[in-house]
Amino acid sequence: MFKAATYVERRKLLRKSVGSGLMIFLANEESPMNYPANTYHYRQDSSFLYFFGLSSPGLAAIADADDGTDTLYGDDIGIEDIIWMGNLPKLKDRALEVGVRKVAPRAAFDETVRQALAAGRTVHFLPPYRPDNKIALAGLLGLPVGELKAKASGAFIKASVDQRILKTKEEVREIESAVAVSHEMYHSAMKLAKPGRYEYQISGAMEGIALAYGMHLAFPPIVTINGQTLHMHAHDNLLARGRLLVLDCGAEAPSGYASDITRSVPVGGRFNARQKSVYEIVLAGQESAIKAIKPGVNFKDIHLQTARVMAAGLKDLGLMKGDPAEAVAAGAHALFFPHGLGHNLGLDVHDMEDYGENNVGYGEKVERSAQFGLAYLRMARELKPGHVLTVEPGLYFIPALVALWKKEKKHKDFIAYDAVEQFLDFGGARIEDDVLVTEKGRRVLGPPIPKTVADIEKACRS
Ligand code: GLY
Ligand code: MN
Ligand code: MN
């Protein structure tokens, strides 16, 4: 948690930007796994964390732009909770920690919102994403659950994005604390990536390190020898020499800020010639992308530049043909690089995605492309100092996609299908770092995590 003044300032700016009406916030509740008292790890809603700082269920809040007040709603715990869960400071004292002077019982929140609606005042709400909060909000506002997303407040979303998208020094410090733990996680994983181990032994060790530093994982980790499946969350394969192990994990600091790192490691610690050739292309793409980051450049242009660098590398390798720039303009590279270069990072690993991807990554100026591959780019804004982004190019050999495109003769002037078919057992390779846009350029956050072929091989041996 930051100083109270930080939250006071954040809410003041929010009230000013939205201008009028009530901004309402619902805390996340406990979420049951298999019966009510057996719950998942508790995670507060990120908007609640950003503006009201407190990480516990049973809370709601209102920032009133008309009278300039902020109110925290919740109930002090009774003796039963004290017996089973332990004591908690009084709500009024917790509220003061985040600079809120007005507190009221939780039931008064619903009453205040109902009265405001009856009086014709505007009640601004953010798009809910948890089923229980959707139901609660639908009941409170008298709206069908299915309409909540469309009826969420554009002004509230925009004001929140504008504030949260540029990180302050204290926020960057939190993200870097998570990257520092990732550094430990990756050094361990590299040492463990040996034939005969199971993927879950690596993912378990990585999660254990996050926990041992008082952190959690920021998202379900990808630890797979089948990196060609982009969001592979199963970890039950046996590691075998000749496979690349894609490790995409992030830590979440106690403050909620996340890291998001990917490394691709040869099982057994030495890249074979084919792995090295593909890996070096991804690395060249990632390094060129990081170098291009500076204020005033649109991240979409960096995505396309990276695609051209990798297309040129694939041409040298004999997997693509023709002019790399033309191939990228046509979208042919997306056979190998079907996702976006990166996304905003902050309190969420895909920061603020609950507000809607386009609201965060696109704003009003750039329209999202419909082209396969480019359509998945989550961030296409002009870069400003304070943006924190992931830079995560990858190359994948997805047998079903290769077969489909070959059958359709898609981009046949740019893709050497016969040569590509020799790589169908490759899997995938991705490299991801977290980068801060600075006044003059960029800074890769956290201590360097081995990334070159030589450094990864050394870390695997150590
Ligand atoms: N870990 C998900 C991502 O890299 O976007
Ligand atoms: Mn990632
Ligand atoms: Mn990422």
Side-chain angles (χ1 to χ4, degrees):
M1 202 190 291
F2 300 123
K3 297 189 305 288
T6 299
Y7 301 100
V8 170
E9 281 305 310
R10 287 175 177 180
R11 292 189 301 265
K12 189 170 155 197
L13 184 56
L14 176 69
R15 280 190 262 101
K16 184 160 171 255
S17 305
V18 175
S20 67
L22 307 181
M23 273 81 68
I24 63 171
F25 299 83
L26 287 178
N28 279 342
E29 297 303 325
E30 295 282 10
S31 186
M33 284 194 287
N34 49 348
Y35 56 92
N38 201 28
T39 57
Y40 290 104
H41 161 64
Y42 178 73
R43 176 54 158 81
Q44 181 58 287
D45 170 69
S46 294
S47 302
F48 203 93
L49 268 186
Y50 183 84
F51 290 105
F52 285 89
L54 299 176
S55 181
S56 50
L59 302 174
I62 294 178
D64 187 329
D66 298 321
D67 70 5
T69 61
D70 301 313
T71 310
L72 187 70
Y73 297 87
D75 299 315
D76 284 323
I77 61 173
I79 188 65
E80 292 246 346
D81 281 328
I82 292 172
I83 292 167
W84 290 94
M85 317 294 281
N87 212 344
L88 257 186
K90 294 278 185 222
L91 186 68
K92 71 171 178 22
D93 295 325
R94 299 183 71 205
L96 284 177
E97 285 184 60
V98 291
V100 177
R101 293 180 187 286
K102 271 178 78 180
V103 295
R106 178 63 181 78
F109 171 80
D110 289 24
E111 200 40 49
T112 305
V113 173
R114 288 205 175 95
Q115 281 173 8
L117 288 170
R121 298 182 66 197
T122 306
V123 173
H124 300 273
F125 62 94
L126 296 168
Y129 51 92
R130 288 212 179 177
D132 51 352
N133 274 350
K134 285 186 187 181
I135 294 167
L137 208 52
L140 183 60
L141 302 174
L143 289 170
V145 166
E147 285 183 20
L148 288 170
K149 193 173 160 202
K151 296 249 165 84
S153 164
F156 192 178
I157 290 171
K158 183 170 185 320
S160 301
V161 170
D162 288 350
Q163 272 182 253
R164 287 177 57 188
I165 203 164
L166 299 179
K167 273 66 183 178
T168 60
K169 281 204 183 99
E170 59 186 358
E171 290 180 287
V172 171
R173 214 175 295 133
E174 291 300 311
I175 295 170
E176 277 202 288
S177 74
V179 184
V181 170
S182 292
H183 174 269
E184 300 302 305
M185 291 158 71
Y186 278 87
H187 270 281
S188 273
M190 287 178 193
K191 279 186 238 172
L192 290 170
K194 299 213 161 44
R197 290 217 166 87
Y198 284 91
E199 292 163 346
Y200 54 73
Q201 293 177 287
I202 319 283
S203 62
M206 293 178 95
E207 181 163 6
I209 290 168
L211 296 175
Y213 278 94
M215 297 198 177
H216 283 270
L217 293 185
F219 53 91
I222 295 167
V223 176
T224 184
I225 54 171
N226 289 316
Q228 77 282 3
T229 305
L230 298 182
H231 280 174
M232 171 56 83
H233 289 138
H235 303 141
D236 49 7
N237 289 305
L238 190 62
L239 305 190
R241 219 175 277 280
R243 301 296 299 177
L244 262 187
L245 180 64
V246 173
L247 304 157
D248 183 344
C249 291
E252 181 181 287
S255 55
Y257 288 86
S259 63
D260 184 10
I261 301 288
T262 304
R263 291 292 183 266
S264 302
V265 176
V267 173
R270 286 197 78 88
F271 286 85
N272 64 32
R274 191 172 72 160
Q275 287 172 333
K276 186 163 181 263
S277 63
V278 173
Y279 185 85
E280 298 274 21
I281 296 171
V282 180
L283 184 60
Q286 205 235 13
E287 285 179 337
S288 84
I290 291 173
K291 225 172 169 180
I293 288 179
K294 62 177 181 193
V297 179
N298 193 301
F299 198 60
K300 183 177 175 182
D301 294 329
I302 302 180
H303 169 95
L304 291 170
Q305 177 202 299
T306 309
R308 288 192 292 270
V309 169
M310 294 204 294
L314 290 169
K315 184 180 171 182
D316 291 344
L317 196 56
L319 303 185
M320 290 190 80
K321 304 183 282 188
D323 178 50
E326 283 175 26
V328 168
H333 65 287
L335 177 64
F336 310 99
F337 176 37
H339 61 73
L341 181 64
H343 48 84
N344 289 282
L345 177 74
L347 279 169
D348 310 294
V349 64
H350 290 179
D351 207 22
M352 301 177 274
E353 215 161 83
D354 55 317
Y355 298 165
E357 268 182 58
N358 286 354
N359 289 325
V360 181
Y362 283 77
E364 289 119 29
K365 287 196 190 139
V366 182
E367 211 167 304
R368 202 178 182 102
S369 165
Q371 188 187 68
F372 175 75
L374 193 51
Y376 292 118
L377 180 62
R378 293 185 148 93
M379 167 66 173
R381 282 180 188 256
E382 184 181 300
L383 299 180
K384 293 185 180 160
H387 276 136
V388 175
L389 307 148
T390 67
V391 180
E392 50 176 309
L395 291 174
Y396 313 88
F397 296 86
I398 305 167
L401 188 62
V402 173
L404 181 70
W405 280 30
K406 186 181 178 189
K407 191 167 134 224
E408 292 174 350
K409 298 192 171 52
K410 201 162 170 176
H411 300 305
K412 65 177 174 28
D413 296 337
F414 295 119
I415 293 165
Y417 281 106
D418 290 349
V420 173
E421 282 177 336
Q422 306 307 307
F423 282 68
L424 292 182
D425 60 345
F426 183 94
R430 178 167 65 255
I431 308 171
E432 177 173 25
D433 282 306
D434 304 335
V435 180
L436 167 71
V437 183
T438 61
E439 293 292 335
K440 293 212 177 103
R442 91 276 342 151
R443 185 163 72 79
V444 178
L445 296 178
I449 298 170
K451 184 156 81 166
T452 62
V453 164
D455 285 350
I456 288 177
E457 290 187 344
K458 189 169 155 211
C460 288
R461 279 197 305 274
S462 66

